[in-house]
Amino acid sequence: MKKRMLAMVFAVMMVCGVAGCGGSGETQPESENPIATEMQAELQSYAADLDAAAATEAGLFTIANGAVAGGQEHWDAFMAEETESVILCQFSMNGGAMLDYVQRQEDGSYLVVSDVTRDGYEYEEKEDYKTQSFTEIKVFENFTVQEGGTPHTVCVMTNDADLDAATFLQYWNELSYEENGAFMLFVI
């Protein structure tokens, strides 16, 4: 009788344990996402003192001094859906190499992992990596912040399928694009 009771208790515990694994309907936190962890490891593999020539040689889409320094073909292949991922390397005003890994997911969304440890700016409390998910990539060409100003190409990740250049310009002027769920991937 004791053996049957023990077997019954173990069976109930096993069923409860299996039912508790992801059964709440909540998504796994981004920090525990194995794909994001792999992306972080890939970003970590690049030398801390990466410069534009080394980034280009490594096959990264590289932006330096406000212009594409190399790897345009990798970005074009990604946008043409010939590749599932691309790594961008942009240089901050402080000379730090900011790395963003963008990967297209099976459902058509995009997972973005940013390495913010290299940008050359000092932060008191700073995350090593920032992981975000978006449904859209918007490229606004001839984007200007003032009438008659220099036109730029701006790439924005967003969850708003209807986001247009005028609305993003408003977010830009208000410095509120992150609050409005948009992430500026690059400006050229």
Side-chain angles (χ1 to χ4, degrees), residues 27 30 56 67 72 76 85-86 115 120 129 135 183 186 188:
T27 57
E30 296 289 3
T56 300
Q72 179 73 51
D76 294 342
S85 64
V86 66
D115 179 348
Y129 295 91
T135 56
F183 173 68
F186 63 79
I188 300 173

Side-chain angles (χ1 to χ4, degrees), residues 127-142:
E127 303 169 69
D128 288 344
Y129 295 91
K130 187 173 187 177
T131 302
Q132 303 173 84
S133 292
F134 298 99
T135 56
E136 308 284 332
I137 293 180
K138 302 282 185 173
V139 178
F140 304 127
E141 295 180 4
N142 301 317

Side-chain angles (χ1 to χ4, degrees), residues 52-89:
T56 300
E57 190 175 316
L60 309 184
F61 178 43
T62 306
I63 299 169
N65 300 319
V68 175
Q72 179 73 51
E73 67 277 12
H74 300 296
W75 175 256
D76 294 342
F78 176 70
M79 290 300 286
E81 299 188 17
E82 294 166 7
T83 58
E84 70 172 16
S85 64
V86 66
I87 298 177
L88 286 83
C89 179

Side-chain angles (χ1 to χ4, degrees), residues 39-126:
M39 292 163 73
Q40 287 179 10
E42 176 71 22
L43 293 180
Q44 269 184 338
S45 71
Y46 296 100
D49 59 348
L50 200 63
D51 63 15
T56 300
E57 190 175 316
L60 309 184
F61 178 43
T62 306
I63 299 169
N65 300 319
V68 175
Q72 179 73 51
E73 67 277 12
H74 300 296
W75 175 256
D76 294 342
F78 176 70
M79 290 300 286
E81 299 188 17
E82 294 166 7
T83 58
E84 70 172 16
S85 64
V86 66
I87 298 177
L88 286 83
C89 179
Q90 303 175 74
F91 289 88
S92 70
M93 298 289 284
N94 284 6
M98 300 177 288
L99 298 178
D100 295 295
Y101 191 133
V102 184
Q103 186 175 83
R104 186 178 295 104
Q105 304 299 289
E106 288 181 9
D107 64 1
S109 67
Y110 302 91
L111 185 63
V112 181
V113 174
S114 302
D115 179 348
V116 297
T117 63
R118 307 165 180 257
D119 62 10
Y121 292 96
E122 297 294 326
Y123 299 98
E124 287 186 22
E125 292 181 23
K126 149 169 143 168

